[in-house]
Amino acid sequence: MKTINTYYLIDYENVGINGLSGCEKLTSTDHIIIFFTKNARKIDMGEIANHGTVELKMIEIPAGKQSADIHIGSYLGYLAGNLKYSVVIISNDTDFDNVIKFWRKELSITVSRQSKIQVNTVSKQNKAKSAGLSTKESQIRTIFEQKLNKSPYQEKKEAIIAILLNSKDKQSLNTALTKTIPSSNIPSIYKELKDIIKNLPSTPSKAVPKNDIKKREAQFRTVYGRYFKNGIYKEKREEIISILVNSNTKQQINNKLCKIIPGENVSKILKQLKPLIQTLP
């Protein structure tokens, strides 16, 4: 299965050499770009040199407040214009989270923030799953490589996959696909992916009243504040609560959470909040 190129944007002044931990396990489909200033801590070139077959580039940026935020954020926007890229920002700076949230919502791209490069010594396909690639997305990508590997499917692959993952019903799925590829090509997608989309409702579900949403959010915040006070739960609190409140199915919650936090943390959240999500399809 063809792997999406992954770009690791390193906020070096923030994470130092520790942020590059694991880079030697990357492959030729990965890219490291180190953003540093003249005031950055001494860069250990010996450590950086041990980066396997990954492409590495270093960019010096002006020293100054939020210089890294501005430059890395703008580079993320450049990469976001090409949906075949996956992006990981290596930084402890939570200010990046808002721009990450923006691009996820705007283009449904795969982008996240980590404190260091985390790579498992497993196959690319399994690594993608453990890093947040859902079983559903893995199945879709496999079918694209095996069955939908010609024009116009390959040219629009990432856009189509994003539509398949984010459509909440068959009606919105069809509408979005019609805007992306010729309608004559859509039946082939439905045929090959029938097992993926068969559980989608035919029409949009009714909007949840605002009062109910507020009540739902208050319930999530109460339980969340009681059991998830530290570490990644605290760091990702608002993003996690937003996912919990706005998702319409258990599968959506699981998929979205897996994109921002490790799977073992997702399991703990789903277990603790089970009474609040058990009515979801």
Side-chain angles (χ1 to χ4, degrees):
M1 185 174 72
K2 187 176 180 181
T3 303
I4 299 176
N5 288 356
T6 300
Y7 277 79
Y8 293 88
L9 308 183
I10 314 293
D11 181 3
Y12 191 85
E13 195 161 347
N14 181 273
V15 296
I17 198 64
N18 291 332
L20 288 157
S21 174
C23 67
E24 72 279 359
K25 298 176 184 177
L26 299 180
T27 70
S28 58
T29 62
D30 299 312
H31 311 262
I32 292 177
I33 301 181
I34 299 176
F35 292 81
F36 69 98
T37 73
K38 64 180 181 180
N39 296 329
R41 286 162 284 184
K42 183 179 179 181
I43 297 178
D44 188 338
M45 297 306 298
E47 180 71 21
I48 292 176
N50 183 25
H51 59 266
T53 59
V54 65
E55 179 185 73
L56 186 145
K57 181 178 180 181
M58 300 183 70
I59 298 178
E60 183 173 359
I61 58 178
K65 188 176 181 180
Q66 295 188 324
S67 179
D69 299 52
I70 294 170
H71 287 80
I72 293 177
S74 63
Y75 205 93
L76 170 59
Y78 161 71
L79 294 174
N82 192 327
L83 294 177
K84 69 181 181 180
Y85 297 142
S86 172
V87 184
V88 180
I89 295 176
I90 305 298
S91 177
N92 293 310
D93 189 347
T94 57
D95 287 344
F96 286 112
D97 293 347
N98 285 330
V99 72
I100 287 173
K101 187 184 300 183
F102 169 80
W103 282 116
R104 278 180 180 162
K105 181 179 179 181
E106 192 71 15
L107 294 179
S108 298
I109 67 169
T110 303
V111 55
S112 60
R113 179 178 62 82
Q114 300 171 178
S115 60
K116 62 182 179 180
I117 296 173
Q118 298 174 343
V119 182
N120 296 325
T121 55
V122 294
S123 68
K124 264 293 188 185
Q125 185 173 355
N126 289 337
K127 185 190 81 170
K129 289 181 181 179
S130 65
L133 211 68
S134 67
T135 301
K136 180 179 178 180
E137 183 172 351
S138 296
Q139 291 172 340
I140 292 173
R141 290 189 179 279
T142 299
I143 291 172
F144 260 82
E145 292 304 316
Q146 295 176 352
K147 306 289 187 179
L148 301 170
N149 52 13
K150 298 179 181 179
S151 179
Y153 309 111
Q154 284 299 301
E155 290 87 342
K156 297 289 186 178
K157 182 175 71 172
E158 294 305 322
I160 295 172
I161 290 175
I163 290 170
L164 289 164
L165 291 174
N166 292 288
S167 294
K168 296 179 175 62
D169 56 80
K170 292 175 183 175
Q171 181 177 316
S172 61
L173 171 64
N174 189 74
T175 300
L177 287 176
T178 302
K179 294 179 181 180
T180 306
I181 59 174
S183 57
S184 57
N185 297 112
I186 294 176
S188 295
I189 292 178
Y190 289 158
K191 178 182 177 181
E192 300 300 342
L193 294 162
K194 61 182 179 180
D195 291 335
I196 301 291
I197 63 177
K198 65 182 179 181
N199 293 324
L200 286 176
S202 298
T203 56
S205 56
K206 294 181 179 180
V208 180
K210 289 184 178 181
N211 289 340
D212 289 350
I213 292 177
K214 289 182 179 180
K215 180 180 178 181
R216 182 178 173 83
E217 181 177 350
Q219 291 173 330
F220 278 123
R221 287 189 179 279
T222 298
V223 177
Y224 195 91
R226 185 180 304 162
Y227 295 103
F228 303 102
K229 299 178 180 179
N230 302 313
I232 195 169
Y233 302 112
K234 181 179 180 181
E235 178 185 336
K236 298 285 187 178
R237 181 181 63 186
E238 292 306 316
E239 199 167 352
I240 291 171
I241 289 176
S242 177
I243 290 171
L244 292 167
V245 172
N246 296 296
S247 296
N248 296 316
T249 67
K250 297 185 184 76
Q251 188 64 50
Q252 283 182 11
I253 291 176
N254 185 76
N255 293 349
K256 292 177 182 179
L257 289 179
C258 283
K259 290 183 178 180
I260 63 171
I261 59 176
E264 62 269 20
N265 299 105
V266 174
S267 298
K268 292 179 182 178
I269 290 175
L270 296 180
K271 180 179 179 180
Q272 199 64 55
L273 295 172
K274 184 178 179 179
L276 296 179
I277 63 175
Q278 61 184 357
T279 58
L280 292 177

mmCIF file with all atom_site columns, all heavy atoms in Angstrom, residues 178 195 265:
data_model
loop_
_atom_site.group_PDB
_atom_site.id
_atom_site.type_symbol
_atom_site.label_atom_id
_atom_site.label_alt_id
_atom_site.label_comp_id
_atom_site.label_asym_id
_atom_site.label_entity_id
_atom_site.label_seq_id
_atom_site.pdbx_PDB_ins_code
_atom_site.Cartn_x
_atom_site.Cartn_y
_atom_site.Cartn_z
_atom_site.occupancy
_atom_site.B_iso_or_equiv
_atom_site.pdbx_formal_charge
_atom_site.auth_seq_id
_atom_site.auth_comp_id
_atom_site.auth_asym_id
_atom_site.auth_atom_id
_atom_site.pdbx_PDB_model_num
ATOM 1  N N   . THR A 1 178 ? -20.059 14.426 -5.982 1.00 0.00 ? 178 THR A N   1
ATOM 2  C CA  . THR A 1 178 ? -20.461 15.032 -7.260 1.00 0.00 ? 178 THR A CA  1
ATOM 3  C C   . THR A 1 178 ? -19.692 16.319 -7.533 1.00 0.00 ? 178 THR A C   1
ATOM 4  O O   . THR A 1 178 ? -19.420 16.663 -8.686 1.00 0.00 ? 178 THR A O   1
ATOM 5  C CB  . THR A 1 178 ? -21.978 15.313 -7.250 1.00 0.00 ? 178 THR A CB  1
ATOM 6  O OG1 . THR A 1 178 ? -22.690 14.090 -7.019 1.00 0.00 ? 178 THR A OG1 1
ATOM 7  C CG2 . THR A 1 178 ? -22.437 15.893 -8.570 1.00 0.00 ? 178 THR A CG2 1
ATOM 8  N N   . ASP A 1 195 ? -19.304 -1.962 1.452  1.00 0.00 ? 195 ASP A N   1
ATOM 9  C CA  . ASP A 1 195 ? -19.269 -2.416 2.850  1.00 0.00 ? 195 ASP A CA  1
ATOM 10 C C   . ASP A 1 195 ? -18.880 -1.295 3.805  1.00 0.00 ? 195 ASP A C   1
ATOM 11 O O   . ASP A 1 195 ? -19.179 -1.360 5.000  1.00 0.00 ? 195 ASP A O   1
ATOM 12 C CB  . ASP A 1 195 ? -18.278 -3.576 3.005  1.00 0.00 ? 195 ASP A CB  1
ATOM 13 C CG  . ASP A 1 195 ? -18.762 -4.845 2.321  1.00 0.00 ? 195 ASP A CG  1
ATOM 14 O OD1 . ASP A 1 195 ? -19.993 -4.981 2.162  1.00 0.00 ? 195 ASP A OD1 1
ATOM 15 O OD2 . ASP A 1 195 ? -17.924 -5.670 1.925  1.00 0.00 ? 195 ASP A OD2 1
ATOM 16 N N   . ASN A 1 265 ? -5.052  5.924  25.362 1.00 0.00 ? 265 ASN A N   1
ATOM 17 C CA  . ASN A 1 265 ? -5.738  7.025  26.031 1.00 0.00 ? 265 ASN A CA  1
ATOM 18 C C   . ASN A 1 265 ? -7.187  7.132  25.560 1.00 0.00 ? 265 ASN A C   1
ATOM 19 O O   . ASN A 1 265 ? -8.079  7.475  26.336 1.00 0.00 ? 265 ASN A O   1
ATOM 20 C CB  . ASN A 1 265 ? -5.003  8.342  25.779 1.00 0.00 ? 265 ASN A CB  1
ATOM 21 C CG  . ASN A 1 265 ? -3.591  8.333  26.322 1.00 0.00 ? 265 ASN A CG  1
ATOM 22 O OD1 . ASN A 1 265 ? -2.642  8.234  25.569 1.00 0.00 ? 265 ASN A OD1 1
ATOM 23 N ND2 . ASN A 1 265 ? -3.446  8.407  27.630 1.00 0.00 ? 265 ASN A ND2 1
#
